[in-house]
PDB file of all heavy atoms in Angstrom:
ATOM      1  N   ASN A 625      96.539  76.308 100.633  1.00 93.00           N
ATOM      2  CA  ASN A 625      97.005  75.498  99.517  1.00 93.00           C
ATOM      3  C   ASN A 625      97.670  74.223 100.018  1.00 93.00           C
ATOM      4  O   ASN A 625      97.409  73.133  99.529  1.00 93.00           O
ATOM      5  CB  ASN A 625      97.983  76.303  98.652  1.00 93.00           C
ATOM      6  CG  ASN A 625      98.630  75.466  97.574  1.00 93.00           C
ATOM      7  OD1 ASN A 625      97.958  74.856  96.762  1.00 93.00           O
ATOM      8  ND2 ASN A 625      99.951  75.417  97.577  1.00 93.00           N
ATOM      9  N   TYR A 626      98.517  74.368 101.018  1.00 92.00           N
ATOM     10  CA  TYR A 626      99.225  73.218 101.581  1.00 92.00           C
ATOM     11  C   TYR A 626      98.248  72.258 102.266  1.00 92.00           C
ATOM     12  O   TYR A 626      98.300  71.042 102.050  1.00 92.00           O
ATOM     13  CB  TYR A 626     100.291  73.699 102.575  1.00 92.00           C
ATOM     14  CG  TYR A 626     101.045  72.579 103.233  1.00 92.00           C
ATOM     15  CD1 TYR A 626     102.045  71.905 102.542  1.00 92.00           C
ATOM     16  CD2 TYR A 626     100.746  72.188 104.532  1.00 92.00           C
ATOM     17  CE1 TYR A 626     102.733  70.871 103.141  1.00 92.00           C
ATOM     18  CE2 TYR A 626     101.435  71.161 105.145  1.00 92.00           C
ATOM     19  CZ  TYR A 626     102.425  70.488 104.444  1.00 92.00           C
ATOM     20  OH  TYR A 626     103.105  69.465 105.037  1.00 92.00           O
ATOM     21  N   SER A 627      97.341  72.804 103.056  1.00 91.00           N
ATOM     22  CA  SER A 627      96.381  71.979 103.801  1.00 91.00           C
ATOM     23  C   SER A 627      95.393  71.266 102.873  1.00 91.00           C
ATOM     24  O   SER A 627      95.025  70.111 103.113  1.00 91.00           O
ATOM     25  CB  SER A 627      95.586  72.830 104.788  1.00 91.00           C
ATOM     26  OG  SER A 627      96.439  73.403 105.733  1.00 91.00           O
ATOM     27  N   ALA A 628      94.957  71.937 101.848  1.00 90.00           N
ATOM     28  CA  ALA A 628      93.935  71.386 100.956  1.00 90.00           C
ATOM     29  C   ALA A 628      94.525  70.622  99.774  1.00 90.00           C
ATOM     30  O   ALA A 628      93.785  70.099  98.951  1.00 90.00           O
ATOM     31  CB  ALA A 628      93.033  72.508 100.450  1.00 90.00           C
ATOM     32  N   ASN A 629      95.846  70.601  99.671  1.00 86.00           N
ATOM     33  CA  ASN A 629      96.507  69.927  98.548  1.00 86.00           C
ATOM     34  C   ASN A 629      96.045  70.454  97.190  1.00 86.00           C
ATOM     35  O   ASN A 629      95.774  69.693  96.265  1.00 86.00           O
ATOM     36  CB  ASN A 629      96.284  68.420  98.595  1.00 86.00           C
ATOM     37  CG  ASN A 629      97.477  67.700  99.156  1.00 86.00           C
ATOM     38  OD1 ASN A 629      98.559  68.258  99.256  1.00 86.00           O
ATOM     39  ND2 ASN A 629      97.262  66.447  99.530  1.00 86.00           N
ATOM     40  N   TRP A 630      95.910  71.773  97.088  1.00 86.00           N
ATOM     41  CA  TRP A 630      95.435  72.367  95.842  1.00 86.00           C
ATOM     42  C   TRP A 630      96.493  72.413  94.745  1.00 86.00           C
ATOM     43  O   TRP A 630      96.176  72.491  93.582  1.00 86.00           O
ATOM     44  CB  TRP A 630      94.942  73.790  96.088  1.00 86.00           C
ATOM     45  CG  TRP A 630      93.625  73.876  96.759  1.00 86.00           C
ATOM     46  CD1 TRP A 630      92.734  72.870  96.969  1.00 86.00           C
ATOM     47  CD2 TRP A 630      93.043  75.048  97.302  1.00 86.00           C
ATOM     48  NE1 TRP A 630      91.629  73.333  97.616  1.00 86.00           N
ATOM     49  CE2 TRP A 630      91.796  74.679  97.837  1.00 86.00           C
ATOM     50  CE3 TRP A 630      93.447  76.361  97.402  1.00 86.00           C
ATOM     51  CZ2 TRP A 630      90.951  75.588  98.450  1.00 86.00           C
ATOM     52  CZ3 TRP A 630      92.612  77.259  98.009  1.00 86.00           C
ATOM     53  CH2 TRP A 630      91.369  76.881  98.527  1.00 86.00           C
ATOM     54  N   ASN A 631      97.740  72.479  95.134  1.00 88.00           N
ATOM     55  CA  ASN A 631      98.839  72.542  94.167  1.00 88.00           C
ATOM     56  C   ASN A 631      98.778  73.811  93.302  1.00 88.00           C
ATOM     57  O   ASN A 631      98.895  73.749  92.074  1.00 88.00           O
ATOM     58  CB  ASN A 631      98.860  71.285  93.295  1.00 88.00           C
ATOM     59  CG  ASN A 631     100.209  71.101  92.621  1.00 88.00           C
ATOM     60  OD1 ASN A 631     101.216  71.596  93.101  1.00 88.00           O
ATOM     61  ND2 ASN A 631     100.210  70.404  91.507  1.00 88.00           N
ATOM     62  N   ILE A 632      98.552  74.954  93.961  1.00 94.00           N
ATOM     63  CA  ILE A 632      98.493  76.234  93.235  1.00 94.00           C
ATOM     64  C   ILE A 632      99.601  77.191  93.683  1.00 94.00           C
ATOM     65  O   ILE A 632      99.519  78.391  93.455  1.00 94.00           O
ATOM     66  CB  ILE A 632      97.121  76.916  93.406  1.00 94.00           C
ATOM     67  CG1 ILE A 632      96.826  77.194  94.882  1.00 94.00           C
ATOM     68  CG2 ILE A 632      96.017  76.118  92.738  1.00 94.00           C
ATOM     69  CD1 ILE A 632      95.666  78.127  95.117  1.00 94.00           C
ATOM     70  N   GLN A 633     100.641  76.660  94.304  1.00 93.00           N
ATOM     71  CA  GLN A 633     101.691  77.521  94.846  1.00 93.00           C
ATOM     72  C   GLN A 633     102.357  78.375  93.769  1.00 93.00           C
ATOM     73  O   GLN A 633     102.684  79.530  94.006  1.00 93.00           O
ATOM     74  CB  GLN A 633     102.742  76.702  95.601  1.00 93.00           C
ATOM     75  CG  GLN A 633     103.660  77.547  96.468  1.00 93.00           C
ATOM     76  CD  GLN A 633     102.895  78.316  97.550  1.00 93.00           C
ATOM     77  OE1 GLN A 633     102.009  77.788  98.204  1.00 93.00           O
ATOM     78  NE2 GLN A 633     103.242  79.577  97.718  1.00 93.00           N
ATOM     79  N   LEU A 634     102.554  77.822  92.581  1.00 95.00           N
ATOM     80  CA  LEU A 634     103.159  78.624  91.507  1.00 95.00           C
ATOM     81  C   LEU A 634     102.259  79.797  91.119  1.00 95.00           C
ATOM     82  O   LEU A 634     102.750  80.883  90.805  1.00 95.00           O
ATOM     83  CB  LEU A 634     103.473  77.766  90.289  1.00 95.00           C
ATOM     84  CG  LEU A 634     104.743  76.923  90.381  1.00 95.00           C
ATOM     85  CD1 LEU A 634     104.929  76.086  89.125  1.00 95.00           C
ATOM     86  CD2 LEU A 634     105.969  77.788  90.634  1.00 95.00           C
ATOM     87  N   TYR A 635     100.949  79.594  91.167  1.00 96.00           N
ATOM     88  CA  TYR A 635     100.026  80.698  90.867  1.00 96.00           C
ATOM     89  C   TYR A 635     100.075  81.746  91.970  1.00 96.00           C
ATOM     90  O   TYR A 635     100.035  82.948  91.694  1.00 96.00           O
ATOM     91  CB  TYR A 635      98.598  80.169  90.663  1.00 96.00           C
ATOM     92  CG  TYR A 635      98.455  79.453  89.354  1.00 96.00           C
ATOM     93  CD1 TYR A 635      98.593  78.068  89.291  1.00 96.00           C
ATOM     94  CD2 TYR A 635      98.219  80.148  88.176  1.00 96.00           C
ATOM     95  CE1 TYR A 635      98.490  77.403  88.081  1.00 96.00           C
ATOM     96  CE2 TYR A 635      98.113  79.496  86.965  1.00 96.00           C
ATOM     97  CZ  TYR A 635      98.253  78.123  86.930  1.00 96.00           C
ATOM     98  OH  TYR A 635      98.161  77.475  85.722  1.00 96.00           O
ATOM     99  N   LEU A 636     100.170  81.290  93.207  1.00 96.00           N
ATOM    100  CA  LEU A 636     100.299  82.234  94.322  1.00 96.00           C
ATOM    101  C   LEU A 636     101.599  83.022  94.208  1.00 96.00           C
ATOM    102  O   LEU A 636     101.620  84.232  94.407  1.00 96.00           O
ATOM    103  CB  LEU A 636     100.231  81.499  95.662  1.00 96.00           C
ATOM    104  CG  LEU A 636      98.900  80.829  95.992  1.00 96.00           C
ATOM    105  CD1 LEU A 636      99.010  80.032  97.284  1.00 96.00           C
ATOM    106  CD2 LEU A 636      97.791  81.854  96.083  1.00 96.00           C
ATOM    107  N   THR A 637     102.675  82.329  93.878  1.00 96.00           N
ATOM    108  CA  THR A 637     103.973  82.998  93.714  1.00 96.00           C
ATOM    109  C   THR A 637     103.924  83.990  92.565  1.00 96.00           C
ATOM    110  O   THR A 637     104.397  85.123  92.681  1.00 96.00           O
ATOM    111  CB  THR A 637     105.078  81.957  93.479  1.00 96.00           C
ATOM    112  OG1 THR A 637     105.109  81.063  94.595  1.00 96.00           O
ATOM    113  CG2 THR A 637     106.439  82.613  93.299  1.00 96.00           C
ATOM    114  N   SER A 638     103.340  83.584  91.456  1.00 97.00           N
ATOM    115  CA  SER A 638     103.206  84.463  90.298  1.00 97.00           C
ATOM    116  C   SER A 638     102.382  85.703  90.641  1.00 97.00           C
ATOM    117  O   SER A 638     102.738  86.833  90.292  1.00 97.00           O
ATOM    118  CB  SER A 638     102.558  83.684  89.156  1.00 97.00           C
ATOM    119  OG  SER A 638     102.343  84.503  88.043  1.00 97.00           O
ATOM    120  N   GLY A 639     101.276  85.486  91.347  1.00 97.00           N
ATOM    121  CA  GLY A 639     100.444  86.608  91.777  1.00 97.00           C
ATOM    122  C   GLY A 639     101.179  87.534  92.721  1.00 97.00           C
ATOM    123  O   GLY A 639     101.073  88.757  92.618  1.00 97.00           O
ATOM    124  N   PHE A 640     101.942  86.967  93.616  1.00 97.00           N
ATOM    125  CA  PHE A 640     102.708  87.781  94.561  1.00 97.00           C
ATOM    126  C   PHE A 640     103.757  88.625  93.833  1.00 97.00           C
ATOM    127  O   PHE A 640     103.965  89.788  94.170  1.00 97.00           O
ATOM    128  CB  PHE A 640     103.366  86.892  95.621  1.00 97.00           C
ATOM    129  CG  PHE A 640     103.966  87.667  96.749  1.00 97.00           C
ATOM    130  CD1 PHE A 640     103.152  88.215  97.732  1.00 97.00           C
ATOM    131  CD2 PHE A 640     105.328  87.879  96.825  1.00 97.00           C
ATOM    132  CE1 PHE A 640     103.695  88.944  98.787  1.00 97.00           C
ATOM    133  CE2 PHE A 640     105.881  88.599  97.861  1.00 97.00           C
ATOM    134  CZ  PHE A 640     105.065  89.139  98.844  1.00 97.00           C
ATOM    135  N   ILE A 641     104.371  88.058  92.819  1.00 97.00           N
ATOM    136  CA  ILE A 641     105.350  88.817  92.018  1.00 97.00           C
ATOM    137  C   ILE A 641     104.664  89.989  91.333  1.00 97.00           C
ATOM    138  O   ILE A 641     105.179  91.116  91.313  1.00 97.00           O
ATOM    139  CB  ILE A 641     106.056  87.899  90.998  1.00 97.00           C
ATOM    140  CG1 ILE A 641     107.019  86.955  91.737  1.00 97.00           C
ATOM    141  CG2 ILE A 641     106.811  88.718  89.936  1.00 97.00           C
ATOM    142  CD1 ILE A 641     107.578  85.840  90.878  1.00 97.00           C
ATOM    143  N   GLY A 642     103.487  89.758  90.772  1.00 97.00           N
ATOM    144  CA  GLY A 642     102.735  90.838  90.124  1.00 97.00           C
ATOM    145  C   GLY A 642     102.363  91.933  91.102  1.00 97.00           C
ATOM    146  O   GLY A 642     102.520  93.128  90.820  1.00 97.00           O
ATOM    147  N   ILE A 643     101.881  91.549  92.273  1.00 97.00           N
ATOM    148  CA  ILE A 643     101.499  92.530  93.288  1.00 97.00           C
ATOM    149  C   ILE A 643     102.726  93.282  93.795  1.00 97.00           C
ATOM    150  O   ILE A 643     102.693  94.505  93.974  1.00 97.00           O
ATOM    151  CB  ILE A 643     100.739  91.845  94.437  1.00 97.00           C
ATOM    152  CG1 ILE A 643      99.351  91.440  93.947  1.00 97.00           C
ATOM    153  CG2 ILE A 643     100.650  92.743  95.662  1.00 97.00           C
ATOM    154  CD1 ILE A 643      98.641  90.450  94.812  1.00 97.00           C
ATOM    155  N   ALA A 644     103.820  92.569  94.008  1.00 97.00           N
ATOM    156  CA  ALA A 644     105.053  93.220  94.468  1.00 97.00           C
ATOM    157  C   ALA A 644     105.540  94.249  93.444  1.00 97.00           C
ATOM    158  O   ALA A 644     106.016  95.334  93.814  1.00 97.00           O
ATOM    159  CB  ALA A 644     106.140  92.177  94.737  1.00 97.00           C
ATOM    160  N   SER A 645     105.391  93.935  92.152  1.00 97.00           N
ATOM    161  CA  SER A 645     105.805  94.912  91.128  1.00 97.00           C
ATOM    162  C   SER A 645     104.916  96.149  91.194  1.00 97.00           C
ATOM    163  O   SER A 645     105.394  97.274  91.025  1.00 97.00           O
ATOM    164  CB  SER A 645     105.767  94.286  89.730  1.00 97.00           C
ATOM    165  OG  SER A 645     104.448  94.157  89.252  1.00 97.00           O
ATOM    166  N   HIS A 646     103.630  95.944  91.452  1.00 94.00           N
ATOM    167  CA  HIS A 646     102.700  97.075  91.586  1.00 94.00           C
ATOM    168  C   HIS A 646     103.126  97.974  92.743  1.00 94.00           C
ATOM    169  O   HIS A 646     103.236  99.201  92.588  1.00 94.00           O
ATOM    170  CB  HIS A 646     101.278  96.558  91.828  1.00 94.00           C
ATOM    171  CG  HIS A 646     100.269  97.651  91.937  1.00 94.00           C
ATOM    172  ND1 HIS A 646      99.324  97.869  90.970  1.00 94.00           N
ATOM    173  CD2 HIS A 646     100.048  98.599  92.885  1.00 94.00           C
ATOM    174  CE1 HIS A 646      98.576  98.902  91.315  1.00 94.00           C
ATOM    175  NE2 HIS A 646      98.992  99.362  92.484  1.00 94.00           N
ATOM    176  N   LEU A 647     103.363  97.369  93.893  1.00 93.00           N
ATOM    177  CA  LEU A 647     103.757  98.151  95.066  1.00 93.00           C
ATOM    178  C   LEU A 647     105.098  98.850  94.842  1.00 93.00           C
ATOM    179  O   LEU A 647     105.272 100.002  95.234  1.00 93.00           O
ATOM    180  CB  LEU A 647     103.796  97.259  96.305  1.00 93.00           C
ATOM    181  CG  LEU A 647     102.446  96.644  96.707  1.00 93.00           C
ATOM    182  CD1 LEU A 647     102.626  95.723  97.898  1.00 93.00           C
ATOM    183  CD2 LEU A 647     101.404  97.709  96.977  1.00 93.00           C
ATOM    184  N   PHE A 648     106.033  98.155  94.185  1.00 93.00           N
ATOM    185  CA  PHE A 648     107.320  98.775  93.885  1.00 93.00           C
ATOM    186  C   PHE A 648     107.138 100.000  92.992  1.00 93.00           C
ATOM    187  O   PHE A 648     107.718 101.070  93.257  1.00 93.00           O
ATOM    188  CB  PHE A 648     108.271  97.782  93.203  1.00 93.00           C
ATOM    189  CG  PHE A 648     109.520  98.433  92.691  1.00 93.00           C
ATOM    190  CD1 PHE A 648     110.563  98.741  93.563  1.00 93.00           C
ATOM    191  CD2 PHE A 648     109.644  98.792  91.359  1.00 93.00           C
ATOM    192  CE1 PHE A 648     111.714  99.367  93.097  1.00 93.00           C
ATOM    193  CE2 PHE A 648     110.785  99.418  90.889  1.00 93.00           C
ATOM    194  CZ  PHE A 648     111.824  99.709  91.757  1.00 93.00           C
ATOM    195  N   LEU A 649     106.331  99.866  91.959  1.00 91.00           N
ATOM    196  CA  LEU A 649     106.119 100.997  91.046  1.00 91.00           C
ATOM    197  C   LEU A 649     105.410 102.156  91.739  1.00 91.00           C
ATOM    198  O   LEU A 649     105.708 103.318  91.465  1.00 91.00           O
ATOM    199  CB  LEU A 649     105.347 100.552  89.802  1.00 91.00           C
ATOM    200  CG  LEU A 649     106.132  99.670  88.834  1.00 91.00           C
ATOM    201  CD1 LEU A 649     105.225  99.117  87.755  1.00 91.00           C
ATOM    202  CD2 LEU A 649     107.308 100.423  88.230  1.00 91.00           C
ATOM    203  N   ASP A 650     104.480 101.851  92.635  1.00 88.00           N
ATOM    204  CA  ASP A 650     103.818 102.923  93.388  1.00 88.00           C
ATOM    205  C   ASP A 650     104.803 103.634  94.311  1.00 88.00           C
ATOM    206  O   ASP A 650     104.693 104.833  94.542  1.00 88.00           O
ATOM    207  CB  ASP A 650     102.641 102.383  94.191  1.00 88.00           C
ATOM    208  CG  ASP A 650     101.397 102.193  93.349  1.00 88.00           C
ATOM    209  OD1 ASP A 650     101.408 102.592  92.163  1.00 88.00           O
ATOM    210  OD2 ASP A 650     100.416 101.637  93.864  1.00 88.00           O
ATOM    211  N   TRP A 651     105.758 102.908  94.855  1.00 89.00           N
ATOM    212  CA  TRP A 651     106.805 103.531  95.679  1.00 89.00           C
ATOM    213  C   TRP A 651     107.752 104.328  94.791  1.00 89.00           C
ATOM    214  O   TRP A 651     108.096 105.465  95.088  1.00 89.00           O
ATOM    215  CB  TRP A 651     107.591 102.458  96.447  1.00 89.00           C
ATOM    216  CG  TRP A 651     108.854 102.989  97.037  1.00 89.00           C
ATOM    217  CD1 TRP A 651     108.985 103.706  98.188  1.00 89.00           C
ATOM    218  CD2 TRP A 651     110.163 102.886  96.486  1.00 89.00           C
ATOM    219  NE1 TRP A 651     110.309 104.047  98.398  1.00 89.00           N
ATOM    220  CE2 TRP A 651     111.050 103.551  97.350  1.00 89.00           C
ATOM    221  CE3 TRP A 651     110.681 102.281  95.336  1.00 89.00           C
ATOM    222  CZ2 TRP A 651     112.420 103.636  97.110  1.00 89.00           C
ATOM    223  CZ3 TRP A 651     112.045 102.362  95.093  1.00 89.00           C
ATOM    224  CH2 TRP A 651     112.887 103.031  95.978  1.00 89.00           C
ATOM    225  N   TYR A 652     108.160 103.737  93.686  1.00 88.00           N
ATOM    226  CA  TYR A 652     109.138 104.340  92.787  1.00 88.00           C
ATOM    227  C   TYR A 652     108.639 105.650  92.192  1.00 88.00           C
ATOM    228  O   TYR A 652     109.351 106.639  92.159  1.00 88.00           O
ATOM    229  CB  TYR A 652     109.472 103.347  91.663  1.00 88.00           C
ATOM    230  CG  TYR A 652     110.336 103.920  90.566  1.00 88.00           C
ATOM    231  CD1 TYR A 652     111.701 104.034  90.741  1.00 88.00           C
ATOM    232  CD2 TYR A 652     109.783 104.340  89.367  1.00 88.00           C
ATOM    233  CE1 TYR A 652     112.500 104.557  89.738  1.00 88.00           C
ATOM    234  CE2 TYR A 652     110.570 104.857  88.363  1.00 88.00           C
ATOM    235  CZ  TYR A 652     111.928 104.965  88.550  1.00 88.00           C
ATOM    236  OH  TYR A 652     112.705 105.489  87.563  1.00 88.00           O
TER     237      TYR A 652
END
């Protein structure tokens, strides 16, 4: 994203939050 100047960091962050919640719930 940084190298290609895509400007999608918020989408990556949002996706990471969703995935982290999935992993947390699987642990919980």
Side-chain angles (χ1 to χ4, degrees):
N625 173 56
Y626 178 77
S627 298
N629 259 345
W630 285 348
N631 199 24
I632 59 167
Q633 194 61 43
L634 281 179
Y635 287 95
L636 295 175
T637 301
S638 177
F640 190 76
I641 289 169
I643 288 164
S645 75
H646 182 110
L647 297 177
F648 171 79
L649 289 171
D650 280 354
W651 166 80
Y652 172 80

